[in-house]
Amino acid sequence: EFGDYLAKAKGIDDHNNTSVAIDDVITYALLQKKPAPIVEEIIPEEPKHFVGLYDALNEEFKDDFGPWNAELTEDLLFRFKDPGSLFAHGNSDLKERFTNILSDFFPRYLRILTRYQNEIAEVAIEGHTSSSYRLAKNDQERWQFNKNLSDKRANAVRDYSVNTAAKDSFVDQNWISDTFKPYG
């Protein structure tokens, strides 16, 4: 009913680089059935200490994008684009295919990120859902159900990645636990 929308969040880092969070503004507008306000966000150029990270990730995973139906955007968002192969409809349990992907992806991803770990404050693991839910009585109930499912999916991916896929990693487990955060 509402269609797709973009939710972006930026944080304030140790170098006092500021940010804008527009997710709540857009979500509120959708619930009110009003058009989302136009929000201009000025995104600074990639910090010098992250130069090369995109290229390193792209080089590492270039042969996997097709088979995994994944992409890496220039703003360092690694996206798995086929939710049907990741989770069952309306469920937060990881499908076996997705656990196999994560078991291959996460240790390699960590190996590259460790080159930048002193500059990385957080890596967001987001859980997404559709905007529909047939059993909902109203828009608020639909939004709440999907928000809860999104939270559960983000937690499931984070928990599997951190506790299973990275268990034998040489990377400091405390850094992994403190850095990778789930967001629904």
Side-chain angles (χ1 to χ4, degrees), residues 143-160:
W143 181 86
Q144 190 60 54
F145 173 81
N146 284 317
K147 171 70 171 126
N148 290 340
L149 180 57
S150 179
D151 287 340
K152 288 177 184 178
R153 286 179 172 181
N155 280 304
V157 171
R158 190 248 183 228
D159 290 346
Y160 183 84

Side-chain angles (χ1 to χ4, degrees), residues 49-144:
H49 52 271
F50 284 122
V51 169
L53 179 55
Y54 171 81
D55 291 335
L57 290 170
N58 196 45
E59 180 64 27
E60 177 68 31
F61 295 108
K62 67 183 176 189
D63 296 332
D64 299 307
F65 294 131
W68 292 349
N69 193 11
E71 69 180 350
L72 174 66
T73 66
E74 288 190 19
D75 59 347
L76 303 175
L77 174 67
F78 204 102
R79 179 182 296 133
F80 296 94
K81 302 185 298 183
D82 182 15
S85 69
L86 311 178
F87 305 95
H89 181 74
N91 196 309
S92 62
D93 294 333
L94 303 175
K95 285 188 171 182
E96 182 179 0
R97 172 169 158 60
F98 194 31
T99 60
N100 291 337
I101 289 171
L102 289 173
S103 293
D104 185 16
F105 166 77
F106 200 71
R108 293 163 57 198
Y109 184 65
L110 278 176
R111 189 181 73 240
I112 293 169
L113 291 188
T114 57
R115 299 179 207 161
Y116 305 88
Q117 80 182 60
N118 291 333
E119 290 82 29
I120 296 174
E122 181 176 278
V123 175
I125 298 175
E126 298 181 3
H128 294 278
T129 65
S130 72
S131 60
S132 63
Y133 179 60
R134 288 181 291 232
L135 301 176
K137 296 176 185 148
N138 55 49
D139 293 338
Q140 178 64 34
E141 191 174 285
R142 180 181 302 115
W143 181 86
Q144 190 60 54

Side-chain angles (χ1 to χ4, degrees), residues 33-45:
K33 296 185 180 180
K34 296 178 182 174
I38 296 173
V39 178
E40 288 189 36
E41 179 180 11
I42 299 171
I43 300 174
E45 290 184 34

